[in-house]
Amino acid sequence: MSTCATVSRSLGEPISGTAATARTWLLVEQPGPWGARALTSSHLDPELGRALEAAAKGTGVRIALIRRPGRHADCRTPAVRRLYAAHTVPGGTWVRSATTDDPRRLLDLDFAALGRGDHRTFDTALQGGPHTGAPLALVCTNGKRDRCCALLGRPLAAELAASGVEGVWEVTHLGGHRFSPTLLVLPYGYAYGRAEAHGVKEVLHAVQEGRIVVDGCRGSSAWERPGQAAELAVRRAVREYAADVLSVVRTEDSVRAAGAAPRWEVTVAHTDGRCWRVLVAQGASEPPRPESCGTSVLGAPARMDVVAVRELTPAALAS
């Protein structure tokens, strides 16, 4: 059976620079079925879902629903829900957890503060505290968004859970259906595509050691797409795999001819003082292919092509 994921894989579409963007993730446990727009089409009160969408808009916070892997009982009102908040910007990464029997308390959160990396509102409004368990492995399984997420994501989540991997949750939407199974790993916020169980276990083992696996990585959700591609390119170029040491400090439009595709000059900085200038160009994936199983329209998805990686000298940094 041909799906958007099988076509993308067969065409060798690159996945670097395709992660969803969010400085902070807010994850809300909601068992039962999910619709295409899960916050307003699940057994979460749709009025609450609309209010949460409005509260998070423009703050850098992305809200997603989560549930345990396995069969999904049609449970409308779980007694207690697990909540997580995670900030992904290097130098300030954290994961907080809480439980609540009243999801309306989420409206007491200061979403702007959460987006800036201030978790005090999460702690005070929800009696939250540091997440002390295993890294969170969030596998997209929302078949109502795209059938690939159910066909490929749900078996992956089930296999991971059955093999004893801790911290595995199903999640509503991570973008990039055609890269299914897709995965987001917290605390560092790196997304992965075309994931397999053995590779996920390697990723989670590395995270526990404070390292990032770049194979199959779509990028860090802390950055916009050009920054995601640039940061991964620097990691590969200098073989730097430690988490929390690289930051995208500047992204500027590059001079280009009128009508040409967008190009960016991205500056990536290391905590040890080194910096790199990365030239990223937006390309179009050819030939046309379905970007989702939910549409019959063929498209040429934008891709982030790294043209050059150059380490900056002290003189260049001073200019």
Side-chain angles (χ1 to χ4, degrees):
M1 177 176 61
S2 179
T3 65
C4 65
T6 57
V7 171
S8 175
R9 185 189 291 266
S10 68
L11 292 174
E13 183 180 351
I15 65 175
S16 176
T18 65
T21 300
R23 294 192 302 271
T24 302
W25 291 84
L26 179 62
L27 308 172
V28 182
E29 184 177 6
Q30 177 58 61
W34 296 332
R37 295 183 61 85
L39 276 181
T40 55
S41 54
S42 69
H43 288 164
L44 185 71
D45 177 2
E47 183 177 345
L48 172 60
R50 285 189 289 270
L52 289 171
E53 286 180 335
K57 187 175 182 179
T59 65
V61 177
R62 186 178 176 114
I63 306 173
L65 303 184
I66 57 174
R67 63 191 177 196
R68 293 293 187 183
R71 298 189 64 178
H72 304 130
D74 194 6
C75 178
R76 291 184 175 273
T77 54
V80 177
R81 303 167 191 261
R82 172 65 62 180
L83 310 171
Y84 295 102
H87 191 60
T88 64
V89 176
T93 54
W94 47 256
V95 179
R96 314 292 285 187
S97 66
T99 58
T100 186
D101 58 4
D102 182 5
R104 290 173 297 181
R105 294 173 61 192
L106 290 164
L107 295 176
D108 295 332
L109 296 174
D110 183 339
F111 283 87
L114 279 177
R116 294 192 300 267
D118 182 349
H119 57 68
R120 288 176 294 180
T121 177
F122 185 86
D123 295 347
T124 55
L126 300 166
Q127 288 74 57
H131 170 61
T132 57
L136 301 181
L138 308 169
V139 182
C140 183
T141 63
N142 190 354
K144 294 297 185 182
R145 290 294 297 240
D146 191 284
R147 60 178 173 167
C148 287
C149 298
L151 291 172
L152 302 174
R154 290 194 66 189
L156 174 62
E159 181 180 356
L160 291 169
S163 64
V165 176
E166 298 179 0
V168 179
W169 292 86
E170 297 186 9
V171 68
T172 47
H173 184 49
L174 297 177
H177 321 292
R178 63 192 184 279
F179 305 122
S180 295
T182 58
L183 173 84
L184 177 74
V185 179
L186 298 170
Y188 301 120
Y190 285 81
Y192 293 83
R194 302 176 185 139
E196 298 180 354
H198 67 88
V200 174
K201 293 175 182 178
E202 179 185 350
V203 167
L204 295 175
H205 178 72
V207 167
Q208 289 178 315
E209 296 184 342
R211 295 183 292 109
I212 302 301
V213 172
V214 298
D215 291 342
C217 190
R218 300 174 62 194
S220 165
S221 72
W223 318 123
E224 299 291 340
R225 291 186 61 184
Q228 294 172 13
E231 190 245 24
L232 287 175
V234 170
R235 286 192 177 279
R236 292 189 175 97
V238 301
R239 299 183 179 181
E240 175 59 86
Y241 307 118
D244 261 4
V245 299
L246 294 179
S247 293
V248 174
V249 297
R250 186 177 298 109
T251 300
E252 299 175 311
D253 288 340
S254 178
V255 177
R256 63 182 189 272
R263 295 163 68 94
W264 300 269
E265 290 187 352
V266 182
T267 304
V268 178
H270 196 292
T271 52
D272 65 10
R274 288 179 293 166
C275 282
W276 295 263
R277 184 71 48 78
V278 184
L279 181 60
V280 180
Q282 179 174 302
S285 298
E286 298 291 348
R289 78 286 309 276
E291 296 187 48
S292 170
C293 290
T295 177
S296 59
V297 177
L298 301 183
R303 51 188 283 175
M304 296 292 111
D305 295 325
V306 173
V307 178
V309 178
R310 177 171 61 91
E311 185 170 358
L312 300 178
T313 65
L317 287 171
S319 62

